[in-house]
Amino acid sequence: MTMQVIRVLQSQTATIAIERNITFGFYADTYGCFSRPWFNVVIPRASLLFVVNEDEVKKAKEFFPNISVFSSGNSVWEHFAFPKHHKDELREIVSVGANSKVVLCPLGKNLIVNILHLGGVVEAVVMTGRNDLHVVAVLHPGDRNDIDIYNDLTENSQMPVVFISSEEMSAPDLVSITDVMVESASTFFVGAAFQQKPCISYFTEIALNRIEQRTGSREWKPCEEGVSIEIHGNPKKLAKKINELLDPNTDTAIRLREMQKKLYPKPAKNGQAVDLMMKVLLSSSF
């Protein structure tokens, strides 16, 4: 389903609720999505809005001071906090030995962004000068491209590159085997935060332009929060930062873990967000 179709459905559903005098609300499942232009007409008529954390509550109230806003978390993000298998077992699946390090590279749906991103990561990993690094590229469920398209990247890399899908290994499990994550506007950053794994947000100009088209901004919230380190299209800088973060005792690595622990505390259980939403809805406190 395209973003345009989603916008139309949201607007139509809200319009019907308004016409029939039905109480309704919205769930903003990521940062700032309540401020997107197509919400401006319908959200002020809503009774409540769920957002992902308390900081988003404050921002939403600035936009919509007359509706009730609640911090619920994100029910999908919660899954990242709960790996199902032991990491040693999982490393065998991706052919990574106990003494090797995993650079996890979550990909998206756009082929050009993926190729530029993965190419930059592979180049940076070579530049680290280490021979113990494995790149594990995670295919997005929405990526319909033939995996053979990436053959040139893998066959001509000096470092091992393994492709894996979320069907072969769950997202929480993939995060658990990670030594450094290099993402590009992927929700995998949440997994890195919950499991306190070093995270780098590596953006090409194309990736930044696509973020701006989607959100109206070139800023990436995890970098603003300090739970991920932002690097723009420079494999040499990326290589330096990967080397730095592979040492858990560097100031940068320690600072990242502190911010991750503070801003993304591990949920008590899977389903916590839904429980909070149900509690609000059943209380009629809005």
Side-chain angles (χ1 to χ4, degrees), residues 51-71:
V51 295
V52 294
N53 60 24
E54 291 296 337
D55 187 48
E56 289 292 284
V57 170
K58 295 175 185 176
K59 292 180 180 178
K61 285 183 175 179
E62 293 176 5
F63 278 87
F64 311 106
N66 298 321
I67 68 173
S68 298
V69 185
F70 302 91
S71 172

Side-chain angles (χ1 to χ4, degrees), residues 12-24 45:
Q12 288 180 343
T13 302
T15 299
I16 292 171
I18 293 168
E19 291 173 349
R20 299 184 181 182
N21 199 30
I22 298 172
T23 300
F24 72 98
R45 303 290 297 275

Side-chain angles (χ1 to χ4, degrees), residues 13-281:
T13 302
T15 299
I16 292 171
I18 293 168
E19 291 173 349
R20 299 184 181 182
N21 199 30
I22 298 172
T23 300
F24 72 98
F26 287 98
Y27 166 45
D29 66 344
T30 191
Y31 296 108
C33 62
F34 53 77
S35 63
R36 293 174 184 173
W38 62 89
F39 277 142
N40 288 344
V41 176
V42 292
I43 282 190
R45 303 290 297 275
S47 297
L48 77 163
L49 173 66
F50 292 109
V51 295
V52 294
N53 60 24
E54 291 296 337
D55 187 48
E56 289 292 284
V57 170
K58 295 175 185 176
K59 292 180 180 178
K61 285 183 175 179
E62 293 176 5
F63 278 87
F64 311 106
N66 298 321
I67 68 173
S68 298
V69 185
F70 302 91
S71 172
S72 65
N74 182 308
S75 58
V76 176
W77 289 2
E78 286 174 356
H79 294 292
F80 278 109
F82 302 99
K84 296 180 179 179
H85 302 92
H86 193 277
K87 64 180 181 180
D88 290 343
E89 174 189 349
L90 298 167
R91 280 175 173 255
E92 288 184 13
I93 296 175
V94 293
S95 303
V96 175
N99 296 321
S100 296
K101 304 292 185 182
V102 171
V103 177
L104 194 74
C105 184
L107 301 178
K109 292 180 282 188
N110 184 276
L111 178 62
I112 299 302
V113 172
N114 286 348
I115 290 175
L116 291 172
H117 179 66
L118 183 57
V121 173
V122 168
E123 188 174 359
V125 167
V126 173
M127 287 180 177
T128 63
R130 302 176 62 125
N131 58 12
D132 61 344
L133 300 184
H134 284 63
V135 175
V136 176
V138 185
L139 295 168
H140 192 285
D143 183 357
R144 303 305 179 195
N145 299 295
D146 192 320
I147 193 172
D148 289 345
I149 289 175
Y150 300 106
N151 280 350
D152 273 351
L153 278 173
T154 57
E155 292 173 359
N156 295 295
S157 170
Q158 297 176 34
M159 295 288 181
V161 180
V162 177
F163 282 87
I164 193 163
S165 72
S166 55
E167 294 176 353
E168 298 171 275
M169 189 183 296
S170 72
D173 283 345
L174 283 162
V175 174
S176 74
I177 67 171
T178 300
D179 292 288
V180 175
M181 181 184 296
V182 184
E183 61 87 34
S184 183
S186 167
T187 54
F188 265 76
F189 87 85
V190 179
F194 278 149
Q195 297 189 37
Q196 294 175 33
K197 300 287 187 174
C199 186
I200 300 169
S201 298
Y202 184 68
F203 295 115
T204 62
E205 183 65 18
I206 301 299
L208 284 172
N209 288 340
R210 285 178 60 82
I211 292 172
E212 185 173 19
Q213 290 169 14
R214 188 171 72 245
T215 68
S217 170
R218 292 167 69 89
E219 304 300 324
W220 182 230
K221 182 70 173 181
C223 300
E224 292 181 338
E225 293 177 324
V227 299
S228 184
I229 295 170
E230 187 166 1
I231 297 177
H232 292 182
N234 188 320
K236 188 174 181 179
K237 286 185 179 180
L238 179 58
K240 183 178 179 180
K241 194 58 65 175
I242 288 173
N243 268 330
E244 182 180 357
L245 292 177
L246 283 169
D247 181 353
N249 298 313
T250 60
D251 290 343
T252 304
I254 293 170
R255 188 166 57 250
L256 269 180
R257 289 197 301 274
E258 289 174 348
M259 293 307 297
Q260 290 170 332
K261 187 175 182 179
K262 176 182 177 181
L263 298 178
Y264 293 84
K266 183 177 178 178
K269 62 173 184 176
N270 256 325
Q272 178 174 292
V274 173
D275 287 349
L276 289 169
M277 290 180 188
M278 286 301 300
K279 185 177 180 180
V280 170
L281 294 172

